Amino acid sequence: MAEHILVLAEQLEGQLTDVTLELIGVARRLAASRGSGVDALVLGDGVSSLAATVPADRTLLMEHPALRLFNPEAAQRALEAVARETSPWLVLVPNTSLGMDVAAAVATRLGWPLVAYCQAIEERDGQLVATSQLFGGKILADCPVGTDHAVLSVLAGAFSSEAAAPEPPARIERLTPPAELDALRVRATGLERPEAADVDITRAEKIVAVGRGIESKDNLELAEELAEGLGAVVAASRPLVDAGWLPRSRQVGKSGLKVKPRLYLALGISGAPEHLEGMRDAELIIAVNKDPKAPIFDVAHYGVVADLFDVAEALQERLGG
Amino acid sequence: MTLAVILKQVPDVVEELAIAPSGTDLDRDSVSYVVNEFDEHALEEALLLREATGEDVVVVGVDTTGELDQALYTALAKGAQRAVKLVGDFEGSWLSTRALAGLLAPVIRELSPRLVLTGVQAPDDLDGQLAPTLGALLDWPHTGVVVGTELADGVVRVRKELWGGIMLDLELATPAVLGIQAARATPRYVPVGRVRQAMRESTIEEVEVETPVESAPKLSRLRAPEAAGRAEMLTGSPSDVAERILEILRARGLY
Ligand SMILES: Cc1cc2nc3c(=O)[nH]c(=O)nc-3n(C[C@H](O)[C@H](O)[C@H](O)COP(=O)(O)OP(=O)(O)OC[C@H]3O[C@@H](n4cnc5c(N)ncnc54)[C@H](O)[C@@H]3O)c2cc1C
């Protein structure tokens, strides 16, 4: 039975993403305990210099014009072909916008089980257990991973990227792309980066962040006044941005921005895993939420179970508003 | 041609969630169900595409709750043309994504739509998201985290969100399966009167299906996250709490 681990490395325009290093780190820990190795699959076009920086035991490099920008179909075909060929014990894929297109499709086509949204992968009583974060982060599911093949899709930020010490890869192997890459039904036509914003929340020292608990666009004024009194900027969870109440540049989280302010005051934000991904490293997190079980309290330093409007008004009074 | 939208009911995570004595499922009797938030966006995106192209919208769901009719009638009231419900011996059970996709694939193939739209993810899809799983089973092109669509001759152009506001533009040959993150507009609201009217005037088509073997997600137990024990809770009146917050900020030179 093969015991090595295959990691799908994620890169965008020649830049490895942090989550890739996190995955390689956890894969190396798991492989070391079994005396096996870690393969990293790098997909791209003209990325051989990048391949040399990947801290795996063996870097599998596949280059093809269809892999220049991320193409979900190309990535899926490539990973599937490599998994069939090398028959790894585990395949680790980042649970990102790119990885989500690939993990479930490849697992389904191979007929291998998939555990998605993994936040922990640990040996417990001689058995490997992958823990998945479900129901908006309110419930965890422990899933036994046997000695058979499995695909795990792993949350960004769940593991330290330092574990993947930048040791040069022992070997780089160039792979021939599967023939399917010449007959794809999906084309990547462009990549667009956001325009510069009026306020850069990633540089803000203090943030007042509001979520769906704020209820209406008109109530944003309260958050703005409070932010002004505190010398902070206003940021938000995704639903407020989707509703058009605030610009995309104010969104904190997985698909938004990662922030690390000295103060993050969260009002009416539940703390879904996708939101926590963007703010869990803030120096001081104070959360106000009327649900005592809200997952935001798992990362907050101080919590208040209350109506956000009552607390915001009381703060505002003291700030002389 | 049609656009198929897959709707799924999921436990409302805003409510308190209790774990069943078996330890491997939620206590389904105490759960209240809502349509997966991202599926609501998938429906809205399909209705917007219909306005632009005149395609019919068919909503499809597997009735695992016994309450799916409500969601389907609401979709009809919002502007869908047909509703199809898969029924079987699985009411009250938690179906894995692969089991769901396995039930849906032949029905979707039969409907022969130009596009299948569903939510990018669901709160309970332990074994992965529906769009890529169904896409793989049907062997149709697929992608998720979609925030905009446009139908053209033989293709659908989509905008996929990566991170930090970076967008990737893709063109997929149709038929294709899309996991919608956010529709181009806020999902429309429909008054109860219109839902009642849909209940009187339209019928839901039923398809009997076999319960798949190994239909539940594989897990050994569910548990609540250990309270990280980090948050110190501030209690008292709003003004007490406000005072404490300002003290904490002052102590750190933040105010
Ligand atoms: C691929 C993907 C990427 C995503 N990216 C992001 C992202 O970048 N950022 C992001 O934020 N989300 C993201 N999400 C969405 C995420 O899953 C959640 O849906 C979202 O974070 C929820 O926002 P919320 O906490 O404001 O709303 P909800 O989850 O609805 O929470 C509202 C909270 O307010 C509380 N509340 C209500 N009224 C009051 C009151 N009067 N006083 C106090 N508390 C009150 C409630 O108890 C509840 O906890 C993403 C999802 C996906 C699938």
Side-chain angles (χ1 to χ4, degrees), chain A residues 74-286:
Chain A
Q76 179 198 318
R77 299 286 185 222
L79 179 62
E80 186 188 333
V82 173
R84 279 192 204 283
E85 183 67 29
T86 64
S87 190
W89 168 41
L90 300 177
V91 180
L92 302 191
V93 179
N95 190 74
T96 55
S97 179
L98 309 184
M100 274 201 274
D101 280 355
V102 177
V106 168
T108 302
R109 290 181 53 97
L110 294 169
W112 296 1
L114 166 66
V115 184
Y117 316 102
C118 291
Q119 62 147 30
I121 308 170
E122 289 160 352
E123 249 6 287
R124 265 189 236 155
D125 310 322
Q127 158 93 284
L128 193 69
V129 177
T131 301
S132 168
Q133 216 173 52
L134 298 179
F135 301 107
K138 279 190 163 177
I139 301 279
L140 301 178
D142 287 334
C143 305
V145 178
T147 48
D148 286 342
H149 303 292
V151 181
L152 307 180
S153 85
V154 180
L155 295 173
F159 297 96
S160 153
S161 55
E162 273 139 47
E167 159 192 315
R171 270 189 292 158
I172 298 181
E173 258 173 53
R174 197 172 270 281
L175 306 180
T176 311
E180 291 114 309
L181 295 206
D182 297 315
L184 295 172
R185 300 161 297 176
V186 179
R187 257 178 2 109
T189 54
L191 192 73
E192 194 180 296
R193 293 188 181 266
E195 288 168 19
D198 59 333
V199 173
D200 183 355
I201 59 169
T202 65
R203 287 164 180 269
E205 186 181 50
K206 296 179 238 178
I207 291 178
V208 173
V210 286
R212 202 136 50 175
I214 196 90
E215 282 166 18
S216 75
K217 187 174 182 185
D218 292 343
N219 291 337
L220 277 180
E221 210 171 301
L222 194 71
E224 267 146 23
E225 283 166 12
L226 189 57
E228 199 179 301
L230 288 168
V233 302
V234 174
S237 66
R238 168 150 203 145
L240 274 61
V241 173
D242 282 343
W245 298 354
L246 280 165
R248 194 61 63 198
S249 56
R250 302 291 185 104
Q251 182 185 317
V252 172
K254 182 189 187 82
S255 49
L257 295 161
K258 286 200 175 39
V259 297
K260 209 182 159 185
R262 289 184 62 205
L263 168 66
Y264 193 85
L265 177 59
L267 305 175
I269 293 179
S270 62
E274 294 84 7
H275 187 80
L276 301 188
E277 214 177 293
M279 47 64 73
R280 64 183 331 143
D281 294 331
E283 271 176 48
L284 174 64
I285 301 170
I286 304 179

Side-chain angles (χ1 to χ4, degrees), chain B:
Chain B
M1 290 289 274
T2 56
L3 308 172
V5 176
I6 300 170
L7 298 180
K8 172 165 134 171
Q9 289 175 308
V10 295
D12 187 352
V13 302
V14 174
E15 303 283 322
E16 168 114 33
L17 298 175
I19 295 167
S22 69
T24 54
D25 196 355
L26 295 179
D27 173 18
R28 297 274 157 183
D29 293 334
S30 68
V31 158
S32 55
Y33 289 101
V34 290
V35 172
N36 178 25
E37 173 181 1
F38 302 111
D39 296 356
E40 299 271 21
H41 281 269
L43 174 60
E44 181 60 34
E45 190 65 23
L47 294 171
L48 293 174
L49 283 172
R50 168 175 168 77
E51 283 159 19
T53 63
E55 305 278 346
D56 277 354
V57 173
V58 189
V59 284
V60 186
V62 179
D63 194 3
T64 55
T65 64
E67 300 172 9
L68 188 67
D69 286 7
Q70 184 65 25
L72 296 178
Y73 282 123
T74 304
L76 289 167
K78 284 183 177 182
Q81 279 60 52
R82 282 175 66 189
V84 179
K85 175 169 83 166
L86 278 60
V87 291
D89 184 22
F90 37 65
E91 203 177 302
S93 53
W94 183 6
L95 292 185
S96 69
T97 306
R98 231 175 265 181
L100 271 180
L103 291 173
L104 286 161
V107 175
I108 295 287
R109 214 182 268 290
E110 176 86 24
L111 286 169
S112 176
R114 232 174 131 179
L115 269 190
V116 182
L117 302 94
T118 191
V120 58
Q121 68 182 48
D124 63 350
D125 53 7
L126 175 58
D127 63 327
Q129 302 77 25
L130 182 60
T133 308
L134 186 62
L137 283 186
L138 292 167
D139 195 21
W140 291 356
H142 59 86
T143 192
V145 203
V146 169
V147 293
T149 63
E150 188 196 337
L151 273 167
D153 207 15
V155 294
V156 58
R157 299 197 184 99
V158 310
R159 189 140 252 235
K160 174 183 175 70
E161 196 169 282
L162 302 189
W163 51 78
I166 303 176
M167 301 287 177
L168 178 68
D169 291 321
L170 297 172
E171 206 173 84
L172 291 77
T174 52
V177 186
L178 304 180
I180 305 291
Q181 162 88 57
R184 282 166 287 155
T186 307
R188 64 196 67 189
Y189 169 79
V190 65
V192 186
R194 291 255 298 280
V195 179
R196 288 217 193 88
Q197 190 185 349
M199 292 172 82
R200 279 194 308 271
E201 293 174 0
S202 28
T203 42
I204 292 172
E205 301 159 47
E206 282 195 18
V207 182
E208 281 274 351
V209 290
E210 291 281 322
T211 310
V213 243
E214 290 194 33
S215 60
K218 277 214 184 72
L219 59 102
S220 53
R221 69 167 177 146
L222 293 181
R223 58 190 166 96
E226 283 137 42
R230 269 175 83 192
E232 178 184 332
M233 301 312 277
L234 309 178
T235 53
S237 68
S239 63
D240 293 345
V241 165
E243 197 48 54
R244 278 286 284 130
I245 291 177
L246 292 179
E247 266 169 35
I248 293 161
L249 299 187
R250 265 185 230 112
R252 297 182 177 228
L254 286 166
Y255 168 63

